[in-house]
Amino acid sequence: MKPIFQKYAGIIIALVILLAWSGCLWFLLHWPIDFTSPFTYLAVLLMTHLYTGLFITAHDAMHGVVAPGNKKLNTVVGTITAGLFAYNYYGRLYPKHHLHHRHVATDQDPDYHGGNFFLWFLSFARQYITVVQVLLMAGTFHLLQLWFPVENIVLFWMLPAVLATFQLFYFGTYLPHRGEHAPDNPHKSGTQGRNHLWAFLSCYFFGYHYEHHDKPYLPWWKLYQEKDRLEKGR
């Protein structure tokens, strides 16, 4: 069993995230909302975390590490997971992300902006949010109202996607790439302090961002191991 899991770990983990996202969303769209219950707010945070997981899975697919050696399967998984996250288009994300890796923190980096947090986020949003996405989200919102309460749709389908966008930007782009980096830092990337629980909860270990740029062939669930290796080597 263990060799099988090791061989297909990327696909298995991607399926777990997909099933968790879809299963939780289905349940929560039917759940009677009680604004006095802490479960409501915990559910929003859970869906935000799972939305982030969708995008991180699409990101790993861009690096070919969901299904190593199988470009078509990586593309399929990346297209599905990116699409479920507010209709992001994998074919548009893929070249932009690789430009980011080739030209990190330069004028040719689509993820980079030298301004403050808000200007940087606006620049980031312009790169990745399209009119087509907004129209598809609006159309889907009206369609979902045929079956589910508006409050459930907003709280558990729309709001988590917005929050996850901020989460991905803040922990995966802004924090690691802001400010000046040492001349001997070839990736112009910072990294979170070693705290695996916080690193996972905040952005699926992508706060260990220097480690990702240094070894982009590692899937998200192995970045903590690289963090440990570098910490021990100091």
Side-chain angles (χ1 to χ4, degrees):
M1 186 67 181
K2 189 175 180 180
I4 293 176
F5 178 80
Q6 289 176 339
K7 184 177 180 180
Y8 300 106
I11 290 297
I12 293 169
I13 292 171
L15 286 174
V16 168
I17 291 173
L18 274 167
L19 290 172
W21 177 85
S22 56
C24 289
L25 180 61
W26 182 255
F27 170 78
L28 290 169
L29 286 175
H30 291 86
W31 185 69
I33 292 175
D34 177 3
F35 285 104
T36 65
S37 170
F39 178 81
T40 300
Y41 307 99
L42 290 173
V44 172
L45 293 177
L46 173 62
M47 286 307 302
T48 300
H49 186 67
L50 291 173
Y51 262 106
T52 301
L54 287 179
F55 195 89
I56 294 296
T57 301
H59 166 272
D60 271 9
M62 295 177 209
H63 287 284
V65 297
V66 171
N70 192 328
K71 186 175 181 180
K72 287 185 178 179
L73 187 54
N74 274 290
T75 300
V76 169
V77 173
T79 300
I80 292 170
T81 50
L84 290 173
F85 191 128
Y87 293 104
N88 280 285
Y89 178 46
Y90 182 80
R92 187 168 180 269
L93 297 175
Y94 184 95
K96 285 181 177 288
H97 185 65
H98 285 279
L99 275 175
H100 165 64
H101 272 267
R102 285 197 299 271
H103 306 290
V104 62
T106 69
D107 291 341
Q108 294 173 282
D109 179 358
D111 292 2
Y112 183 72
H113 190 277
N116 62 37
F117 175 85
F118 298 102
L119 291 175
W120 196 332
F121 181 76
L122 287 174
S123 173
F124 183 83
R126 282 198 297 268
Q127 287 289 338
Y128 292 104
I129 299 174
T130 67
V131 173
V132 172
Q133 277 179 266
V134 174
L135 292 176
L136 286 172
M137 287 291 287
T140 304
F141 173 75
H142 288 293
L143 188 63
L144 288 173
Q145 289 183 62
L146 298 175
W147 298 286
F148 307 110
V150 171
E151 294 85 357
N152 295 60
I153 300 168
V154 172
L155 274 181
F156 305 126
W157 181 68
M158 293 184 69
L159 180 59
V162 174
L163 293 176
T165 301
F166 277 101
Q167 182 180 4
L168 286 159
F169 169 73
Y170 185 74
F171 290 103
T173 298
Y174 177 72
L175 277 185
H177 294 300
R178 66 177 177 170
E180 297 294 327
H181 297 281
D184 61 348
N185 183 335
H187 309 302
K188 298 179 183 177
S189 303
T191 186
Q192 281 180 348
R194 184 180 175 277
N195 184 323
H196 296 334
L197 178 60
W198 174 240
F200 171 69
L201 292 175
S202 61
C203 202
Y204 290 75
F205 301 121
F206 264 82
Y208 298 156
H209 209 74
Y210 179 91
E211 291 77 4
H212 166 59
H213 275 266
D214 195 51
K215 296 200 169 44
Y217 52 82
L218 289 179
W220 69 263
W221 40 273
K222 286 188 176 181
L223 286 173
Y224 78 93
Q225 296 174 339
E226 179 62 11
K227 182 71 171 180
D228 285 345
R229 188 188 70 81
L230 290 178
E231 290 283 328
K232 288 175 183 177
R234 287 182 176 176

